[in-house]
Every structure is written in structure tokens, then in C-alpha cells.
Amino acid sequence: MTTTRQAPVRLTQFAHGGGCACKIPPGELEAVLGGLTAPRPAPADLPLLVGLDTGDDAAVVALPARGDTPAQAVVSTADFFTPVVDDPYDWGRIAAANALSDVYAMGGRPVVAVNLLAWPRDVLPFELAREVLRGGLHVAAEAGCHVGGGHSVDDPEPKYGMAVTGLADPDRLLRNDTGRPGVPLSLTKPLGLGVLNNRHKATGERFEQAIATMTALNRDACAAALAAGATCATDVTGFGLLGHLHKLARASRVTAVIDTAAVPYLDGAREAVRDGYVSGGTRRNLDWVAPFTDFGTADTDTCLLLADAQTSGGLLVAGEVPGAPVIGELVSRGPCSLVLR
């Protein structure tokens, strides 16, 4: 369903991009991060279980068991972006759900977050910033996660997100490097958020189905994946399904085969691609994975949707998740990390 509801201030017009489409392209980011190591060893009693090596969704540090307290893992992440929708409250909800998602993608439970706010104080009224923060607080409360303040800066572009800390069982993490051949792939939210958001930015049309998808927590999907015995997952955000799946397949040393007919899309997504509402981030995603992908007979629009830069997308799980479509499988490593069929 689409409606046109003109906000008093169109927040998306104050940003060069929107949502996770504003991410630094994956190839450029990997070039920046390559070879970076800590200048001195970390404490031996607090081992880093998940770090920079595989490009996973969050960092994870192990806390040793003490007395009657079992071993736990601390999950740490941060995520923020420019406005993806014009409504400030909705933007706050979307940004918070997106930041919390990284903890769920690791199999964790978010426990405390702090706000990250950049605001053009001489351009946009602080009443709008308050609505953004209220939206974030609402979603964090839904997740059972404390919000304990945060940090703000004066910035020409509005930006909002959260740094989130969570807890997990160190023996039941969801990682992107534990995929194995013969395991199906499940996707817990439909694709198409990027092209619908880009259409919203260009026209002011409001897509309720996209807002409902972006504000939905990945909490239940995480719980279902863990209950099903999954050990491998990632969330689908700014690098698109193909980008995040490529990283998972590369880290796990497998090939991912996608059944293109089984991938779910939001209503209006194909029409948005047809009408040209494709972000630069999506095209960069597709360019990045192209050398590692056998596209088969997939048409251009399908490839763009599979690379669509999502904001607060679903979990991509190596395993079957009740209620989520199976969109492919992992197989033994071949010449390409991704194969479309």
C-alpha cells in the first residue's frame, strides 16, 4: 500500500543518500580495513571471539565463568545513517531496529544502547530531533533494551543510530564463518527496501509495507534460528543480499546457490526498479560481487533487486527457520562464491 503524506519537513532532502545505502562501498571499505591489527595483545582472559577478520555483524568478547555465573559473550556494535524516510519518528524507529539487528544477527540479546545523533542545529528544528530520539527509544523498549544517553554533534547532514551492547551464549553464536555444504538458506524479511526508499526520497510517496518491515525487530527470527540449531547467519543491510551472502560464503569457504524464484520481495519493489529508482549504493554492490558471481540467466532487474541496499533487513540464516522461505543452499566451494539459478 502506498500513500502520499507530505511531512512539514522532508528529512530525506537534507541527505545525499538514505539509510544503509549510504555505507562506504564494500570493496573500498575492505581496502581501508585490510591489514589493520591491534598495536598490542588484548587481555588473555577476555578473548575476542569475533573480530575484524571475517567482516561479521558485530564484535564479540568472551567473559569467563565466575563462581555460579556461567561464561557469557559480550556483543558490541554501532550503526547510524542519514534519513531513510521523511517522518522523524519513523526514522528513529528504523535506525534503532537496524542497530539492534546486528546483535540479533550474532545470536545475542541487546541489553543497553546509547544514541548517536548528528544534527544541523541551524537548519532543522530540535523538535524533529526529539521525535527521532523518541522513535529510537520506542523500539529499544520493545526490544527490552535500556537506552542510557548517547552523544551528539553539530553536522551539516542529519544522522542517527545507536551503539548497542548485548549478551550471548558463547557456545551458541550465529557467525558468518560457520556455514557448511548441504545446509539450506532462509531469509526472514523480503527484499526491495532500498528501491522503495529511493522512490520515497524522490517522490514523497509513503510505503507502509516498507516502514513495517524496517521497524520490525529481528528478535523472533534470532530466537527461531537458535531454536532450530543454526550456527551461521548474517543480517541483510547496505551491501544487499548478494553482498552479505558473498561475505558469508567467502568466510565459510563454501558456495551459495540462490533460487531466484524463491526470493521474496515487497509489493512495489519490481515496479520501483522498472521505473529507475535504484540507488548508487545498489549498483556499487552489484559491481562488487560481479567477479565472484555466476548470474546464470537472471535478468538485470532481478540482479539489481538481489543487490538492493537494504535498511533494517532480515536475517539470512544457514538453516531452516519456521515461517521463512528457503531461498537456496550452501554447497561445496566452487569457482564462484555465488550462483543464481
Side-chain angles (χ1 to χ4, degrees):
M1 181 180 72
T2 68
T3 59
T4 301
R5 190 180 77 183
Q6 189 74 17
V9 175
R10 293 205 58 207
L11 286 174
T12 57
Q13 305 309 298
F14 289 84
H16 72 283
C20 290
C22 286
K23 280 187 173 182
I24 293 175
E28 295 177 22
L29 184 61
E30 290 188 347
V32 171
L33 298 177
L36 286 179
T37 57
R40 59 174 65 97
D45 62 332
L46 299 173
L48 184 67
L49 300 181
V50 180
L52 189 60
D53 295 346
T54 62
D56 218 322
D57 295 294
V60 182
V61 173
L63 297 180
R66 285 190 172 90
D68 295 332
T69 303
Q72 293 189 92
V74 175
V75 184
S76 180
T77 185
D79 210 312
F80 61 95
F81 46 68
T82 54
V84 68
V85 293
D86 289 326
D87 185 284
Y89 177 73
D90 285 339
W91 175 32
R93 293 196 296 149
I94 292 164
N98 182 74
L100 294 165
S101 179
D102 283 340
V103 175
Y104 294 129
M106 301 303 302
R109 173 175 63 93
V111 293
V112 64
V114 292
N115 291 308
L116 304 172
L117 178 69
W119 201 255
R121 51 184 292 273
D122 293 328
V123 177
L124 291 174
F126 276 116
E127 289 83 356
L128 295 180
R130 180 180 176 85
E131 281 298 288
V132 174
L133 295 172
R134 187 171 72 88
L137 188 62
H138 178 102
V139 165
E142 181 184 349
C145 178
H146 298 290
V147 178
H151 183 67
S152 62
V153 295
D154 186 358
D155 192 295
E157 272 192 330
K159 302 175 183 73
Y160 174 65
M162 287 179 166
V164 187
T165 301
L167 295 173
D169 182 338
D171 296 322
R172 300 186 69 209
L173 293 175
L174 297 174
R175 305 173 53 131
N176 72 355
D177 62 352
T178 53
R180 298 293 178 263
V183 178
L185 290 167
S186 300
L187 181 64
T188 66
K189 287 185 183 181
L191 302 182
L193 293 164
V195 290
L196 291 179
N197 288 338
N198 212 32
R199 186 165 202 152
H200 169 70
K201 178 179 173 66
T203 68
E205 294 173 87
R206 179 179 167 91
F207 297 94
E208 299 293 348
Q209 69 274 29
I211 293 171
T213 299
M214 290 185 287
T215 55
L217 293 171
N218 280 325
R219 174 186 55 201
D220 294 344
C222 169
L226 291 172
T231 62
C232 178
T234 188
D235 64 349
V236 180
T237 55
F239 300 154
L241 174 68
L242 293 182
H244 289 284
L245 186 52
H246 166 61
K247 292 176 66 178
L248 184 152
R250 182 180 62 183
S252 297
R253 299 184 177 275
V254 296
T255 288
V257 179
I258 301 173
D259 177 0
T260 57
V263 177
Y265 299 104
L266 288 165
D267 290 344
R270 281 202 173 272
E271 291 79 3
V273 173
R274 178 200 65 199
D275 295 340
Y277 296 103
V278 179
S279 70
T282 290
R283 296 188 188 278
R284 289 189 292 270
N285 289 341
L286 192 56
D287 289 343
W288 180 57
V289 300
F292 316 106
T293 305
D294 176 357
F295 291 103
T297 60
D299 60 80
T300 300
D301 285 1
T302 295
C303 293
L304 286 168
L305 281 169
L306 293 174
D308 189 38
Q310 305 297 280
T311 296
S312 192
L315 297 188
L316 176 64
V317 181
E320 291 196 47
V321 177
V326 172
I327 64 163
E329 63 176 334
L330 300 179
V331 300
S332 297
R333 190 173 186 176
C336 295
S337 63
L338 302 175
V339 176
L340 309 188
R341 289 182 180 165

